[in-house]
Amino acid sequence: MRTILLIQLFCFIGTIGWSQSINLKVVGNTEAGFYVDIYNGDQLVIHNTEEFKLKVANLDLSETTEINDWKGSEWTGDETLVKLSKETYLSDFDLNLSMTVTYEVINAQVVKKSIDLFQSGMPSLYYTIEENFKPAEIPIKYVTFEHDNFPGGFVHEMFPSAGFITPNNQLIGVLMDAGYKNHYTRTTRRRFNGHGGGFVGMRQLPDPELVSVASLEERAKGQQYIQQKFGEMYNLDTGKELALKISDDFQKVGAVDIKKQSGLISLNCKPSSRAGFEIIAPFKDQKTYTISFLSKGNSPIALKLFRIKNGKKTIELEDGIKYIDQFPIKENEWTLFKGSILVPYIENDSVSMFLGTQSGKEANIQIKDLKIVENQPLKQPYNRMDMGKKDTKTSYIFVEPWTNHHDFVVSSQSRLAEGKGFKGALIEKMLYANFNMLTWITSINDFTPLNVPNMNYAPDMYNRDSFFSIVSSYNEALNLKIWEQWAKTQNANGAVATIITPYMGTIECKDNEATIQFLIWAMMNKRRYGVTLPKDKIDKAVNYVLNEFDDDRDAICKSHFTLSQVDINKYEPKTDKLAVNQGMFAIALKTIKELGYEISDAYIEKAEAAYLDFYDAQRKHVLFDRDFPNVITMTDLEPEFFSLWLFNKPMLTDDMVINHLEQMPILNKVPNSPHPEYGTTAPVCVRLDKSEKGYAYLTSDYQPFREFGEANYKDGARDGFYYNGGSWMRPEYCGYVVGLRHGWKKAKALMENRAWAEINLNPKWPYSKEFIPTKWTTTDTWWESTRGLCWNVFILMANEVAGLRKPDMDPDFKK
């Protein structure tokens, strides 16, 4: 069993599961047109009646036309590669469209389908394209990434995949290429205006029906399909609205007196953690709504929406209004709140809506004209087909025996990677697929690539997260495009911003590691692609790094923030007591020198020596913070990883690295893990002590995070979670690779265990996560918001450093 697990995790396999070979057959004739059937061996599994449907409009939307059943007029190929083509004259536009559909068998289980569109007679036009994948036989059921038996309608989930089960128990799955290539975005919201925080739904909502499944009513009428639709948006401001009745059954929350009269709600709130009222909102699955009201008072307003299942409050709704905790209002002037929300399939749960305050203080709030409307939006095209430029939409179909939903989730990820030509271990394929599904376009008017950490953070691109994600790919265009987006955020001092927020602005630009990463990325782009990058941008970044972190040139790094992911604290004045900062500054100096700037070897050696000086010989670990010498973290080995990765040269000694790793507690032991004698996860940050266990979680009176730690780490409330013992795969795995390079005998076993944990420790969530708790009794306590973190794909680089992977296993690698 252990051997099988290791093969699955670390041998470079091409497929998982076995079935007959998938093959293609062209159907039709010259008069009716040609299309393709897909077979699994001799079993017909997908039998379409057309290849796609196309809606076209000019840019002012005054003219539209449709092609409802495109088929090829001619074809070439065989059972593994078929190309259908046709040129169509659109009389409404006096325009010729050249269209080609190509099917390619990638391996025994995966087919790639590409649609190419081209026109050379019109500056630009809008279009929406719809593909249906129709079962040859009535399926037993349909499945999606998050649901084992999906009843139909649009599918808005963390990973866009759907499938159906044939009567002889074969799974047919349908996937798609990344959004930056297929020109879609999966976000449903934007940051709210002002300084109240939170999100609201967009009024022009792109791609809500990106994936759909035949409804129960359609199936009853003989319609069976999985649909992908690219380039359609809902315009909530142009469509119709249906006013809904709001429940008058107000449930008091906290210490509050409520008065209602003639559309006016008055809240007299006494000090409590939450004071206001809750009602059941008139929401139903797979619809869009807008909530609006006027308010004034002496406290910010919180608006919260939660699902209710069997009378129990569960998770917050994701797709629109969220994190509205402090909507700012004025005491003597009415302020309008208006926010939309997309309700996906939520298993017909009820939805509770809270309005009130979470300030914990006495407050008086008035709310009037509270309205909830159901939007019946106008559907409009937004994808553009520019003159002389080919547009391509790519989908993937895979076939394998049906086992269970868990395995479908795993296969959705691994098969997508295979379809894209990626080679690697199972965990590598899954992380690569997740990275692709979290890289889409910036907005309906900006097709520049955007990479988000996970769906919980959408639509924002946190630059430091995107660095680890994008540099893990050898895709030249993607690396250069997003590096250029970073460069555009550079301020007058030369610092690169922390975040890019579509549809809203941001002023967050600070002395964290983003600008150092910007320079590292510039160096890598020059190495990999031989490109010339804008010297003025790099000059400013170099000057910023040198002057901001070491203005007196003593080689000691000083900053207001940690130069790592542990970004929950600000240091006033600047600190020089963090090991990771000193190590990353040494890496920055090496990078700046390679970029062609005059940096002396003595300066670099002094910075490196200062990093080594954070090693405490008595405690036998690198000190995270000299003021808290008993705290140990995995992030303090990150500079050493960067040194090995970027320069193939260590900074720390073998003893320093091995002793540090030996001090890290390895938790979550599991009998069926590859190495059950070890744990499967290590805390990214924990306190070492003299207890029998040898460690303790942080407490409010011993923790390096100041106000954050005081508020969150008391009474054991977050033991094992977030930065109090949470296990982040990327720094942990990279730390083990550092250990491997320094001769630590446990390293490879712990790498294997950690990869296993990401897939298997929570069997309900077989995909990447922001962190895994190290103390928990049931996986139901794991944070929903952590699902699907993108930057874990960086283990591709870690495996290159470990000698377990080669660059040419990436389909975009060019020698």
Side-chain angles (χ1 to χ4, degrees):
M1 177 61 72
R2 181 183 299 180
T3 301
I4 293 172
L5 286 168
L6 292 179
I7 289 173
Q8 286 183 325
L9 285 169
F10 283 95
C11 290
F12 299 124
I13 55 177
T15 59
I16 56 171
W18 299 96
S19 68
Q20 302 177 68
S21 292
I22 200 166
N23 60 88
L24 312 171
K25 182 178 180 181
V26 177
V27 182
N29 52 54
T30 304
E31 291 74 25
F34 299 101
Y35 58 98
V36 172
D37 280 346
I38 299 179
Y39 284 78
N40 181 37
D42 58 3
Q43 179 194 0
L44 177 63
V45 291
I46 289 184
H47 177 63
N48 290 334
T49 53
E50 76 287 324
E51 288 300 335
F52 61 84
K53 300 178 181 181
L54 185 70
K55 297 180 181 179
V56 176
N58 57 2
L59 293 190
D60 68 355
L61 303 177
S62 61
E63 295 288 344
T64 61
T65 192
E66 298 183 11
I67 299 173
N68 287 318
D69 57 350
W70 189 93
K71 303 183 186 70
S73 60
E74 53 186 338
W75 70 277
T76 60
D78 53 33
E79 64 179 9
T80 62
L81 179 65
V82 172
K83 179 177 286 188
L84 309 172
S85 57
K86 184 179 182 180
E87 186 161 300
T88 301
Y89 175 67
L90 302 179
S91 59
D92 291 341
F93 295 97
D94 193 22
L95 179 70
N96 284 323
L97 276 186
S98 297
M99 294 172 278
T100 303
V101 173
T102 303
Y103 285 86
E104 179 185 1
V105 175
I106 302 298
N107 59 37
Q109 279 73 46
V110 181
V111 170
K112 176 182 178 181
K113 177 185 178 182
S114 299
I115 302 173
D116 294 327
L117 308 173
F118 180 85
Q119 61 90 11
S120 57
M122 189 172 176
S124 192
L125 54 84
Y126 288 129
Y127 72 94
T128 297
I129 193 166
E130 175 186 306
E131 294 180 78
N132 289 303
F133 302 87
K134 301 178 181 178
E137 301 177 89
I138 297 174
I140 296 172
K141 65 178 178 179
Y142 289 86
V143 293
T144 62
F145 198 79
E146 296 185 27
H147 296 285
D148 190 25
N149 191 354
F150 193 75
F154 69 76
V155 183
H156 188 84
E157 299 176 357
M158 61 179 293
F159 190 102
S161 71
F164 59 84
I165 316 303
T166 68
N168 69 338
N169 221 42
Q170 292 295 303
L171 163 66
I172 316 301
V174 180
L175 308 167
M176 64 180 62
D177 209 345
Y180 74 94
K181 290 191 171 184
N182 272 8
H183 292 167
Y184 63 82
T185 169
R186 293 169 58 217
T187 191
T188 58
R189 62 198 185 194
R190 63 166 175 83
R191 288 201 170 198
F192 202 57
N193 54 300
H195 301 285
F199 296 102
V200 294
M202 293 176 291
R203 305 305 294 174
Q204 292 183 322
L205 179 60
D207 302 299
E209 298 179 35
L210 185 64
V211 181
S212 298
V213 169
S215 67
L216 297 176
E217 293 77 12
E218 288 174 317
R219 295 179 214 176
K221 297 175 183 177
Q223 300 175 48
Q224 305 282 346
Y225 63 83
I226 293 171
Q227 182 183 99
Q228 293 181 351
K229 188 185 294 184
F230 302 105
E232 182 180 83
M233 71 172 182
Y234 287 1
N235 192 329
L236 274 61
D237 288 326
T238 305
K240 298 179 181 179
E241 293 182 344
L242 176 64
L244 302 179
K245 179 177 173 55
I246 298 176
S247 171
D248 58 4
D249 183 16
F250 284 31
Q251 300 295 316
K252 288 185 178 183
V253 177
V256 62
D257 293 325
I258 303 174
K259 291 183 180 179
K260 295 184 290 181
Q261 57 182 26
S262 302
L264 179 67
I265 306 166
S266 298
L267 305 178
N268 182 6
C269 305
K270 306 297 189 296
S272 58
S273 60
R274 178 181 287 189
F277 66 91
E278 280 185 340
I279 59 172
I280 298 298
F283 291 168
K284 293 184 179 179
D285 296 49
Q286 296 166 318
K287 294 180 181 291
T288 56
Y289 300 91
T290 297
I291 300 171
S292 63
F293 57 84
L294 292 165
S295 186
K296 63 182 179 180
N298 59 4
S299 173
I301 285 184
L303 171 58
K304 313 294 287 184
L305 298 169
F306 285 90
R307 290 170 59 174
I308 305 291
K309 182 181 288 293
N310 300 323
K312 182 180 179 181
K313 186 181 295 184
T314 58
I315 59 175
E316 193 170 356
L317 279 184
E318 291 284 337
D319 303 301
I321 295 169
K322 190 178 181 185
Y323 301 130
I324 302 292
D325 299 319
Q326 298 186 67
F327 174 63
I329 60 175
K330 299 176 181 178
E331 193 162 2
N332 298 307
E333 182 180 330
W334 293 106
T335 300
L336 174 67
F337 177 94
K338 185 176 183 180
S340 61
I341 182 165
L342 173 83
V343 180
Y345 175 59
I346 56 172
E347 301 172 293
N348 299 313
D349 288 356
S350 300
V351 177
S352 73
M353 181 175 78
F354 168 81
L355 267 175
T357 178
Q358 297 182 149
S359 68
K361 301 177 182 178
E362 188 169 332
N364 291 295
I365 296 171
Q366 289 184 301
I367 297 168
K368 74 173 182 177
D369 297 337
L370 175 61
K371 296 177 183 176
I372 299 178
V373 300
E374 179 186 322
N375 297 110
Q376 298 173 342
L378 181 68
K379 299 180 180 181
Q380 296 178 321
Y382 82 87
N383 272 193
R384 291 175 68 120
M385 196 187 310
D386 294 331
M387 185 165 58
K389 182 181 177 182
K390 182 177 71 173
D391 256 33
T392 300
K393 307 297 185 194
T394 304
S395 305
Y396 303 92
I397 303 100
F398 70 91
V399 181
E400 62 186 45
W402 168 253
T403 51
N404 54 51
H405 185 259
H406 172 279
D407 290 354
F408 167 71
V409 172
V410 172
S411 292
S412 292
Q413 298 165 85
S414 64
R415 298 301 189 190
L416 177 61
E418 292 169 17
K420 290 179 65 64
F422 178 89
K423 297 175 183 176
L426 178 60
I427 184 65
E428 294 175 324
K429 291 178 182 179
M430 294 169 70
L431 295 175
Y432 178 79
N434 179 56
F435 149 68
N436 273 273
M437 291 300 96
L438 289 168
T439 310
W440 51 60
I441 60 173
T442 300
S443 73
I444 59 174
N445 298 310
D446 183 357
F447 286 7
T448 308
L450 184 93
N451 173 258
V452 304
N454 64 15
M455 293 293 281
N456 181 64
Y457 288 96
D460 300 341
M461 178 164 76
Y462 284 82
N463 285 342
R464 295 171 300 158
D465 299 60
S466 68
F467 166 80
F468 286 110
S469 301
I470 308 300
V471 298
S472 303
S473 164
Y474 285 89
N475 185 309
E476 180 177 352
L478 185 61
N479 273 272
L480 295 180
K481 279 284 188 183
I482 294 190
W483 185 88
E484 289 167 4
Q485 290 296 89
W486 280 40
K488 293 174 186 176
T489 73
Q490 191 176 52
N491 68 11
N493 294 329
V496 170
T498 301
I499 187 172
I500 296 175
T501 57
Y503 303 97
M504 292 297 291
T506 176
I507 58 173
E508 186 173 327
C509 197
K510 56 192 183 185
D511 53 326
N512 56 24
E513 74 273 28
T515 307
I516 294 175
Q517 290 176 341
F518 177 71
L519 293 173
I520 291 171
W521 203 348
M523 178 181 72
M524 294 180 65
N525 285 336
K526 293 181 73 172
R527 283 183 185 176
R528 287 175 169 180
Y529 314 121
V531 295
T532 300
L533 300 173
K535 187 175 184 301
D536 61 324
K537 295 288 186 180
I538 298 176
D539 285 347
K540 288 175 67 175
V542 167
N543 289 333
Y544 174 81
V545 168
L546 295 177
N547 294 326
E548 183 66 32
F549 298 125
D550 189 20
D551 57 350
D552 57 7
R553 297 298 189 271
D554 65 355
I556 303 302
C557 180
K558 296 167 283 291
S559 177
H560 292 106
F561 298 93
T562 176
L563 304 185
S564 74
Q565 71 177 73
V566 190
D567 57 357
I568 54 177
N569 196 21
K570 183 176 182 180
Y571 298 88
E572 292 287 2
K574 290 182 179 181
T575 184
D576 60 3
K577 298 179 179 179
L578 302 181
V580 71
N581 286 19
Q582 187 61 41
M584 288 306 299
F585 183 66
I587 296 299
L589 295 180
K590 292 182 180 182
T591 300
I592 291 168
K593 182 169 185 174
E594 180 169 324
L595 285 170
Y597 296 84
E598 193 165 329
I599 300 290
S600 71
D601 290 339
Y603 189 22
I604 294 173
E605 289 167 5
K606 191 174 181 181
E608 285 187 357
Y611 174 48
L612 269 66
D613 195 48
F614 275 90
Y615 179 78
D616 186 314
Q618 181 180 357
R619 289 181 171 84
K620 294 189 175 181
H621 69 86
V622 178
L623 301 182
F624 170 71
D625 183 330
R626 283 201 167 104
D627 287 342
F628 295 89
N630 294 328
V631 171
I632 185 173
T633 81
M634 294 298 287
T635 59
D636 292 317
L637 295 181
E638 279 197 357
E640 179 70 358
F641 177 87
F642 273 79
S643 189
L644 295 169
W645 172 45
L646 299 174
F647 306 107
N648 197 29
K649 182 181 178 182
M651 293 190 291
L652 300 176
T653 69
D654 291 348
D655 284 346
M656 290 176 179
V657 170
I658 292 172
N659 288 341
H660 185 96
L661 288 168
E662 285 287 349
Q663 296 268 49
M664 290 297 303
I666 310 298
L667 310 176
N668 287 334
K669 280 191 175 183
V670 182
N672 64 331
S673 64
H675 301 276
E677 68 274 21
Y678 299 126
T680 58
T681 60
V684 74
C685 179
V686 77
R687 176 185 180 181
L688 300 178
D689 65 11
K690 301 293 186 181
S691 68
E692 184 178 345
K693 292 190 303 183
Y695 73 93
Y697 294 109
L698 306 181
T699 57
S700 58
D701 59 351
Y702 194 92
Q703 48 78 26
F705 304 128
R706 303 190 183 187
E707 292 83 2
F708 180 90
E710 291 172 8
N712 291 279
Y713 295 159
K714 56 186 177 183
D715 302 324
R718 283 196 180 182
D719 286 358
F721 281 77
Y722 202 56
Y723 288 119
N724 193 4
S727 167
W728 268 260
M729 184 182 193
R730 182 190 58 77
E732 184 176 339
Y733 195 91
C734 289
Y736 296 150
V737 170
V738 168
L740 183 71
R741 288 288 297 266
H742 280 275
W744 191 40
K745 294 181 180 180
K746 297 177 183 177
K748 194 168 184 181
L750 290 173
M751 290 162 63
E752 293 168 355
N753 265 16
R754 190 58 184 81
W756 179 93
E758 200 68 16
I759 305 174
N760 299 295
L761 193 60
N762 183 344
K764 299 176 185 176
W765 293 1
Y767 38 71
S768 180
K769 288 162 278 288
E770 182 173 356
F771 71 86
I772 289 177
T774 56
K775 181 182 178 183
W776 47 279
T777 54
T778 168
T779 55
D780 291 339
T781 63
W782 290 27
W783 294 1
E784 290 272 340
S785 61
T786 64
R787 302 183 304 159
L789 189 75
C790 188
W791 76 3
N792 284 336
V793 72
F794 190 70
I795 75 159
L796 300 182
M797 295 296 99
N799 281 340
E800 285 191 18
V801 174
L804 298 174
R805 182 172 180 81
K806 296 180 179 180
D808 61 7
M809 299 171 76
D810 186 306
D812 293 306
F813 176 77
K814 298 174 184 176
K815 292 185 179 179

